[in-house]
C-alpha cells in the first residue's frame, strides 16, 4: 500500500526513517550519559555552621533552649 501525495517518494520515507533513528539514538545516549554522571557524583552534604564556627556560651544556651522546647514529652507531644 503506497501513501499518496508527497510522502509517496521512497527518498522522503527514507529521510524520515533516518531522522527518527538518529533522534532515538541521540536521546538514548544522552539519557545514559546523564544517568552515569549522576551515579558517579556523591550526594552533597548540607553544611552546618556548627561544623566550623565555635558557638559562644550564650549561643549554646539559646540552642539548648530551642532543642528542649522541641523535644517530646513522655506522652509523645511537643512541649
Amino acid at each position: 500500500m503506497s501513501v499518496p501525495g508527497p510522502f509517496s517518494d521512497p527518498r522522503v520515507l527514507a529521510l524520515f526513517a533516518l531522522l527518527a533513528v538518529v533522534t532515538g539514538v541521540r536521546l538514548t545516549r544522552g539519557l545514559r550519559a546523564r544517568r552515569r554522571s549522576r551515579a558517579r557524583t556523591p550526594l552533597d552534604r548540607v553544611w552546618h555552621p556548627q561544623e566550623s564556627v565555635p558557638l559562644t556560651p550564650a549561643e549554646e544556651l539559646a540552642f539548648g533552649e530551642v532543642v528542649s522546647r522541641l523535644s517530646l514529652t513522655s506522652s509523645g507531644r511537643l512541649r
Side-chain angles (χ1 to χ4, degrees):
M1 181 174 148
S2 65
V3 179
F7 298 109
S8 61
D9 189 1
R11 293 176 294 184
V12 174
L13 292 175
L15 177 65
F16 281 130
L18 180 65
L19 286 174
V21 169
V22 168
T23 303
V25 168
R26 289 186 74 184
L27 284 173
T28 303
R29 292 181 79 194
L31 289 174
R32 284 184 182 169
R34 186 174 169 184
R35 186 178 63 209
R36 275 194 309 267
S37 70
R38 285 187 178 191
R40 279 183 275 171
T41 57
L43 295 175
D44 292 333
R45 284 188 68 240
V46 176
W47 177 80
H48 194 276
Q50 288 181 340
E51 293 179 2
S52 59
V53 179
L55 296 177
T56 65
E59 290 172 332
E60 287 183 13
L61 180 63
F63 181 73
E65 289 176 1
V66 170
V67 170
S68 68
R69 288 187 201 141
L70 295 177
S71 61
L72 299 176
T73 61
S74 60
S75 64
R77 294 184 178 178
L78 290 175
R79 292 182 183 181

